[in-house]
Structure formats: C-alpha cells, structure tokens
Amino acid sequence: MKTELGPTDIFFPVPAALIVSGTIEHPNIATIAWAGMVSSTPPTVGVSFDQRRYSLDLIRKTKEFTLNIPRAEHYRETDYCGLVSGRKTKKFETTGFTAIPGRQIQTPIIKECPFNLECRVTGEVELGDYRLVLGKVVNTRIDSDKVRIVDNRPMIDIVQVNPLVYCATIREYWNLGGKLGDAFKAGKELLSQNREG
C-alpha cells in the first residue's frame, strides 16, 4: 500500500550545496538544496533560487557562480548560510570558510569544501517563485588527497569527500553511509538472467 501525498517538493537526498556568488573581494554564500547535474555534454548544473535571493542578484550581475559540496561535518556552517542573508552578513567571516580565487572565473570557491565546480551562466528559467539558473561547468576542482588516477581517469574517494546531503520535508542533514555496489555493474546479474530467460 502507498500513501498519496499529492504534488509536493519532496525529493531526497539532495546535495546540500553551497553556492558562492560575487567576487573574491565581496563573496556571498547561499545554501541551496535544489541543485544538480542536468547535462553531461556540455557538463551543466541547474541551481534553483527563490527569486528574492541576494545570490540570484549577484549571479545575474557576474553571470557566474561556484557550486561547492561541503563535508558532512560542516552541517552547522552550511545550515547557517541558508538562515541569514548576505545583504546583511559576511558569511565567510562568520563561518570561518576561506574564499580562494576561481581558476576560470572571477567568483571564488570555498577552500574547506572538498569538491568545487566553477560555472558560467548559460540560461535562466522561471518556475513560479523560483528561478532555475543553468551553469556550464568550466572547471572542476577536488582536494588532491581525495582523488587518485586509475587508467588515466580520476577516481574520487567518496569516503574521504564525505559529502553532506539534505533530506527535504523531514529537514535533516545526513552523510551518505556505505557503498552498496558499483553502478553499471550491480545490475548485470539481472541483465544476464533476463537474456537467458
């Protein structure tokens, strides 16, 4: 049996992303749960902002932003960045996060976040009270101790990254827990059974 909830915004888990806007001299951080990869070619992320957000104003001015994935232990700082407005608060100072220059864009990344995407805005879509901002990924940065090269490909050590995730509706922060299987391999037993049957 299933309980019907009707139309909701429940979707979980989602990354608890820290979106940096502005410049290295005047950066701002916003906590955004509605963010994710929307295309591989070109690599593009979508980030949904309430239209009243200060960050959205800054992104519209610079046409760029960074998406930073915090470690699970930074859940307090991440939550804080979603509770206060950058119009009145210098969030880097309050949280102790460090802004370091982007390599391909003027907007900084957060040093303490192990995974960072530098993005240039390619479009914006109106969705009721929200604006979906599309950003082409122009550079990806990861802490060197959290990646290794295998067969000339970067392999991310997700345990070391320990990304923070958000569970909407119940309003809780979680980490990922443990590995269950390998994508594009775990279902091969069922695939071979179906071919045989």
Side-chain angles (χ1 to χ4, degrees):
M1 182 171 190
K2 299 271 187 182
T3 299
E4 292 188 34
L5 302 177
T8 71
D9 63 355
I10 299 170
F11 191 74
F12 58 88
V14 294
L18 293 173
I19 307 299
V20 177
S21 54
T23 62
I24 192 74
E25 296 82 15
H26 301 287
N28 183 54
I29 309 170
T31 303
I32 301 291
W34 308 137
M37 193 64 63
V38 296
S39 171
S40 295
T41 51
T44 302
V45 294
V47 183
S48 190
F49 294 89
D50 183 298
Q51 66 180 338
R52 299 166 294 184
R53 285 281 191 128
Y54 176 59
S55 293
L56 183 57
D57 294 339
L58 293 176
I59 289 169
R60 286 174 169 160
K61 288 178 186 171
T62 63
K63 305 292 186 204
E64 59 187 35
F65 61 91
T66 64
L67 189 155
N68 304 268
I69 301 297
R71 290 178 50 82
E73 61 260 28
H74 286 126
Y75 71 92
R76 289 180 188 88
E77 294 86 347
T78 299
D79 195 56
Y80 172 82
C81 289
L83 294 174
V84 298
S85 172
R87 286 186 176 96
K88 301 175 184 175
T89 309
K90 294 184 178 186
K91 298 180 192 181
F92 275 96
E93 290 178 16
T94 307
T95 60
F97 285 145
T98 308
I100 60 174
R103 301 271 186 187
Q104 301 296 319
I105 62 174
Q106 298 299 308
T107 302
I109 65 170
I110 300 173
K111 179 182 178 183
E112 291 76 13
C113 291
F115 187 73
N116 322 86
L117 300 175
E118 298 178 22
C119 304
R120 285 201 180 102
V121 174
T122 58
E124 186 178 317
V125 179
E126 183 176 332
L127 300 168
D129 291 337
Y130 286 79
R131 300 299 178 267
L132 175 66
V133 176
L134 300 174
K136 180 180 176 182
V137 178
V138 296
N139 196 20
T140 302
R141 295 167 76 177
I142 186 165
D143 290 353
S144 297
D145 63 343
K146 294 171 182 55
V147 65
R148 55 187 160 66
I149 305 300
V150 177
D151 297 328
N152 293 322
R153 290 184 51 207
M155 300 297 287
I156 295 171
D157 185 342
I158 201 71
V159 172
Q160 290 298 314
V161 172
N162 193 21
L164 179 64
V165 297
Y166 175 70
C167 294
T169 302
I170 61 172
R171 295 184 174 188
E172 293 178 350
Y173 294 107
W174 286 68
N175 62 19
L176 289 183
K179 176 181 171 180
L180 300 176
D182 293 316
F184 301 100
K185 292 182 181 177
K188 286 190 175 181
E189 183 179 327
L190 289 174
L191 184 63
S192 65
Q193 287 175 1
N194 284 335
R195 285 185 181 156
E196 293 168 6

